[in-house]
Amino acid sequence: MKLSQSKSLIKLLAAAAFFVSTLTTYSDDSIQPQRVHPAIRFISPGEAELTWESDLPGSATVAYRTATESAEQTVKPDSAGGTFHQVVLANLQPNQVYQYRITINGDGPPWTSEVFEFDNAMNYTPPMLEKGVDETSSESNALMDSLHHLGGYAVVGESLSEPWATWLVQHTSMTIIAACDDHEQMTQRRHHWYQQGHYGIRFTAQLTAEIPSEIANVAFVKPDDLQRAKELLSPTGTLVCVGKPPATSTLNWKPINDQLFVAHPMSDVTLTRWDHQYGSVSNQSFSGETLDGVDDAGQLEIRWLGRPGADFGIDRNPRMPAPLAVGGRLFHQGMNRMIALDAFNGAVLWSLEMPGLRRVNIPRDCANWCADDAFVYAAAADRLWVIDAATGELKRTLTLPEPDDSNAKKDFDWGYVANTNDTILGTAVTRGSQYEEFWAKPAWYDGKDDQATSKVCGQSLVAYDKQYGNVRWKRDVDAVIHATITIANDRVIFVEITDPELRKLPSGKLTNQQIADKATVVCLDLKTGRELWTQKAPATSSSQVVAFGLADENQFLLESSSDAKFHFTSFDLASGERRWSQSAKWPEDHHGAHMQHAVLMNDKIFVQPQILDSKTGNIIKTNTLGKRRGCATPVGTGNTIIYRGGGGPLSFWSLERDGRSEFTRLRPSCWLSTIPAQGMLFSPEAGGGCSCGGWMECSIGFAPKKGSNHESK
């Protein structure tokens, strides 16, 4: 037996023994095992905060250990009871997989959860310096409150590096860059911190002229250095002036004390968001981000590259949720985990490990998360976690309402999720309906049979007040196809299947035969849930590959795919009247060519190899948009379609020049992992596992080059 096989067997036996030790025998059949819903947030290199919510209240104990250890550590939360618990798991070893279980002592016998895992190799938190006595805590708090988030990069003028560099390391997780005017200053500063044992991850020194523009989350400078400091700030950065700002400054300064002032130079800049699976709640695969008119890969420059790499994720094929970019942050999902990066410098802000988060085959289901400036909303099991976007702290959960009488014996999980200015919309889906397989060729979900194309459907839509979490309205349905749910102009539009027999089924994963000829397009008022109109959906084929909903301010567009063609039907958003129908041929019937999610942009519909007029349905152009290569679905940036083309790398198709350019060796995922937003193009690593090889397995943020010709277009 090979050494690696022997180690794997030892790990498996240890895990089995750990699991057996958790079993609880109940003599009373009326006692139902409950569920816990855990999440791990890394807070230091050797510590992780475990947060969970249980179905029933009670005191709790957590046992944890590495996958190969026999001895376990135990810890109890400070709270004596309740259903929401937090505890810190300490003394964690680097690069180790940990197993943990939760025991709850309620009114009945003790109950022990299944064994969960987290990987401390995914812990990217930097080492922290111990805080000294802080005699200006109110000023420290005011300074921290002025920061957009506590991670990233801080630039400090060399003459201010003591004490401000130390203060930043003690109170934030930022990397501090001392901005030096000459080599002598830089060398002295580096030697000073090196002798203290601090130089490296947290402290560094660079020549001011060599610090990249728009990288800093905060800059501490004297009044004479404000102009250069402004150039170093990212769009969400904070400028701290040590000394009274000059009277000529046009910035809106807020005093911390008589010698410390803060300002946010770009607070009035509007950043384009990618806050839902296909850009926004209207599913256009275009968020309005134009990248300053860029239509060639060579007009972009790399602003940052780094984490996460391929080990963070899952195999590229199962078509996982798209990243999100909003509020100066980039959010990305991996294998039952998520990470937040600073959008403008790529710094890791926080990461979570969440059992049950994984969702695959998004084209036949829906994403399990969305975001706004303040929070990430992530569905796992039957809860929606509300997560602080700046810190990763789990704030609260939303739970699904009790099912109606006809579903009293069924359990439900959270399906679709979307958020608007004041509303969170979700669906309840029969537990076990979602796709789970992520390994081997059937899990590519590229086929045309029921195994790949069955649609995940919810049995109720629920609208919540975003601020308070109370249910505003609920609509029970026989089935609603998740991938068709769209929101536009305060209207919710979707395809509903009317067949009471569907409610009796043990799964909400429905085949085309179960939903064909029973589909209706329904439009509801988002505020009240009141039905505004319904229309019979067009007849569907029993071999339907996908069904998507897209919308703009005037229409709801139903896209489906079958019989070697894409089919589009337009419904007037106000009246529901059918406006037009059109079909367009597939380029191929494999590697995602037959299941593209169309781009709705600039009154046109882009689905390779055709461009359609979205107002009339007429085919404007065919045999265009370049040769596809691989499974990724396209997105738009105004005058460009981004897709996987040529020999397989990420490619740009210029609509003006009718030509292609590419990023060599950059491979997107097999659905949607490269997104334009926040003035940048983000490609967090999602191509790991690809057998065609040679790819860069790191995350990259691009931005338009300064002074390029595209800026004058």
Side-chain angles (χ1 to χ4, degrees):
M1 180 181 293
K2 293 181 180 179
L3 179 60
S4 60
Q5 293 175 321
S6 181
K7 287 183 177 179
S8 297
L9 180 60
I10 292 171
K11 179 178 176 180
L12 181 62
L13 292 173
F18 194 50
F19 177 74
V20 169
S21 70
T22 71
L23 297 179
T24 301
T25 302
Y26 295 99
S27 59
D28 185 349
D29 292 338
S30 66
I31 298 176
Q32 296 296 322
Q34 61 168 311
R35 304 177 88 202
V36 293
H37 311 273
I40 291 283
R41 179 171 72 110
F42 298 112
I43 56 177
S44 78
E47 294 179 311
E49 179 185 75
L50 169 62
T51 301
W52 77 92
E53 194 169 41
S54 55
D55 291 342
L56 299 174
S59 61
T61 302
V62 178
Y64 64 103
R65 68 181 185 187
T66 66
T68 56
E69 288 178 327
S70 57
E72 63 185 34
Q73 303 178 64
T74 59
V75 63
K76 294 183 178 182
D78 292 335
S79 56
T83 60
F84 194 86
H85 304 274
Q86 283 184 331
V87 68
V88 173
L89 309 183
N91 304 314
L92 302 180
Q93 301 174 35
N95 302 315
Q96 291 292 316
V97 174
Y98 276 82
Q99 297 172 340
Y100 65 97
R101 55 189 171 92
I102 301 165
T103 299
I104 298 175
N105 298 289
D107 294 335
W111 177 90
T112 299
S113 73
E114 64 184 286
V115 176
F116 302 104
E117 282 191 352
F118 69 90
D119 189 349
N120 204 38
M122 302 296 109
N123 184 347
Y124 304 122
T125 55
M128 302 291 286
L129 261 65
E130 185 176 344
K131 294 181 182 178
V133 177
D134 192 350
E135 298 177 353
T136 58
S137 58
S138 62
E139 295 177 348
S140 292
N141 291 336
L143 266 178
M144 286 192 291
D145 289 344
S146 72
L147 303 178
H148 188 59
H149 41 241
L150 299 182
Y153 291 88
V155 174
V156 180
E158 197 281 332
S159 62
L160 299 172
S161 57
E162 302 289 348
W164 288 113
T166 301
W167 181 90
L168 282 162
V169 169
Q170 290 174 336
H171 291 82
T172 76
S173 58
M174 294 183 184
T175 296
I176 287 74
I177 304 171
C180 303
D181 294 332
D182 54 51
H183 280 86
E184 184 178 356
Q185 276 188 352
M186 182 176 67
T187 302
Q188 289 176 349
R189 180 52 52 191
R190 289 178 175 180
H191 278 246
H192 173 66
W193 280 333
Y194 182 80
Q195 289 170 353
Q196 291 183 334
H198 295 158
Y199 188 77
I201 296 176
R202 300 304 310 276
F203 291 101
T204 186
Q206 300 291 336
L207 293 175
T208 303
E210 295 180 357
I211 299 174
S213 299
E214 301 180 19
I215 190 176
N217 299 98
V218 61
F220 279 73
V221 292
K222 291 183 176 180
D224 293 343
D225 298 324
L226 288 177
Q227 184 54 46
R228 173 56 179 153
K230 286 172 61 178
E231 296 171 359
L232 297 175
L233 281 184
S234 76
T236 56
T238 301
L239 189 58
V240 180
C241 185
V242 182
K244 192 170 182 177
T248 56
S249 175
T250 59
L251 297 179
N252 183 20
W253 292 100
K254 177 183 176 181
I256 301 297
N257 57 35
D258 58 359
Q259 284 297 307
L260 208 59
F261 300 80
V262 299
H264 299 90
M266 299 186 69
S267 59
D268 58 345
V269 174
T270 300
L271 297 171
T272 306
R273 305 147 65 103
W274 193 284
D275 50 19
H276 288 76
Q277 171 66 28
Y278 301 109
S280 70
V281 290
S282 58
N283 300 337
Q284 296 180 15
S285 289
F286 171 59
S287 65
E289 178 60 64
T290 63
L291 298 175
D292 288 342
V294 161
D295 69 348
D296 186 282
Q299 295 169 341
L300 293 174
E301 63 183 8
I302 295 175
R303 284 291 175 85
W304 57 264
L305 58 83
R307 290 169 169 159
D311 54 352
F312 179 85
I314 196 171
D315 187 65
R316 80 286 184 198
N317 278 310
R319 305 175 199 271
M320 292 185 64
L324 308 172
V326 57
R329 306 179 184 102
L330 172 65
F331 307 101
H332 180 49
Q333 279 195 45
M335 172 66 92
N336 289 329
R337 56 178 63 106
M338 68 173 71
I339 193 169
L341 308 176
D342 185 281
F344 307 112
N345 55 44
V348 175
L349 303 178
W350 51 263
S351 58
L352 294 175
E353 302 246 331
M354 297 182 69
L357 179 68
R358 185 179 75 243
R359 190 170 292 188
V360 295
N361 199 1
I362 297 305
R364 283 63 177 236
D365 192 355
C366 57
N368 58 347
W369 69 345
C370 59
D372 59 22
D373 287 328
F375 299 105
V376 176
Y377 306 91
D382 62 351
R383 259 70 167 177
L384 184 76
W385 285 99
V386 181
I387 302 166
D388 189 295
T391 66
E393 184 179 358
L394 288 86
K395 293 299 206 180
R396 59 190 175 106
T397 63
L398 294 178
T399 56
L400 296 163
E402 291 295 321
D404 61 20
D405 291 340
S406 65
N407 286 322
K409 295 184 179 180
K410 294 172 70 172
D411 292 320
F412 289 86
D413 284 333
W414 198 293
Y416 174 86
V417 59
N419 82 92
T420 64
N421 288 336
D422 59 0
T423 303
I424 293 174
L425 185 68
T427 64
V429 60
T430 303
R431 185 163 298 161
S433 300
Q434 277 137 352
Y435 289 86
E436 296 182 349
E437 298 301 318
F438 61 92
W439 187 250
K441 194 163 186 177
W444 291 15
Y445 304 113
D446 192 57
K448 297 178 284 295
D449 57 2
D450 290 341
Q451 185 178 15
T453 66
S454 292
K455 314 301 185 290
V456 178
C457 300
Q459 290 199 337
S460 68
L461 285 93
V462 188
Y464 299 79
D465 180 278
K466 190 173 183 179
Q467 182 175 358
Y468 299 106
N470 55 292
V471 175
R472 284 180 169 171
W473 56 264
K474 177 173 176 279
R475 178 185 174 97
D476 290 317
V477 296
D478 297 333
V480 53
I481 301 178
H482 280 166
T484 66
I485 302 174
T486 312
I487 303 175
N489 288 359
D490 285 333
R491 294 170 180 240
V492 185
I493 318 97
F494 51 89
V495 173
E496 180 176 306
I497 312 302
T498 304
D499 181 356
E501 293 301 310
L502 297 179
R503 290 172 173 257
K504 303 175 184 178
L505 297 176
S507 173
K509 188 187 297 178
L510 305 180
T511 65
N512 294 314
Q513 290 81 0
Q514 289 171 310
I515 64 179
D517 302 322
K518 303 170 186 175
T520 304
V521 180
V522 178
C523 179
L524 307 180
D525 183 282
L526 176 63
K527 303 292 185 184
T528 65
R530 180 173 63 89
E531 188 175 290
L532 299 178
W533 54 261
T534 63
Q535 283 285 355
K536 179 68 175 175
T540 60
S541 168
S542 60
S543 61
Q544 185 187 79
V545 178
V546 289
F548 297 124
L550 304 83
D552 58 26
E553 59 185 8
N554 299 311
Q555 67 179 326
F556 170 74
L557 192 66
L558 180 60
E559 174 192 355
S560 64
S561 175
S562 61
D563 304 322
K565 291 182 179 180
F566 299 105
H567 310 286
F568 298 94
T569 302
S570 172
F571 297 85
D572 186 270
L573 193 61
S575 67
E577 224 177 284
R578 191 180 295 196
R579 299 169 64 177
W580 56 261
S581 294
Q582 181 63 274
S583 296
K585 65 180 181 179
W586 292 348
E588 294 101 13
D589 65 352
H590 57 87
H591 281 78
H594 56 313
M595 53 189 288
Q596 300 170 57
H597 186 286
V599 177
L600 179 58
M601 178 177 74
N602 300 338
D603 294 328
K604 296 180 179 65
I605 300 165
F606 301 86
V607 57
Q608 201 269 345
Q610 284 90 205
I611 303 174
L612 286 68
D613 187 313
S614 68
K615 293 181 178 179
T616 65
N618 294 334
I619 296 178
I620 301 172
K621 198 170 188 178
T622 190
N623 296 322
T624 186
L625 302 180
K627 173 68 176 175
R628 297 181 76 259
R629 169 67 168 81
C631 298
T633 198
V635 297
T637 63
N639 61 349
T640 303
I641 297 296
I642 301 175
Y643 67 111
R644 189 175 174 211
L650 188 68
S651 299
F652 272 34
W653 184 266
S654 169
L655 298 174
E656 180 180 332
R657 295 183 289 102
D658 227 20
R660 186 183 71 87
S661 56
E662 68 179 38
F663 294 101
T664 305
R665 297 184 62 201
L666 182 57
R667 186 208 195 281
S669 77
C670 288
W671 190 237
L672 203 169
S673 63
T674 299
I675 58 171
Q678 312 281 281
M680 295 184 64
L681 181 69
F682 302 108
S683 191
E685 161 55 31
C690 183
S691 59
C692 40
W695 307 115
M696 293 178 62
E697 294 187 345
C698 65
S699 300
I700 306 180
F702 298 93
K705 289 181 178 178
K706 301 292 184 181
S708 295
N709 293 333
H710 63 84
E711 292 187 329
S712 62
K713 289 184 179 181

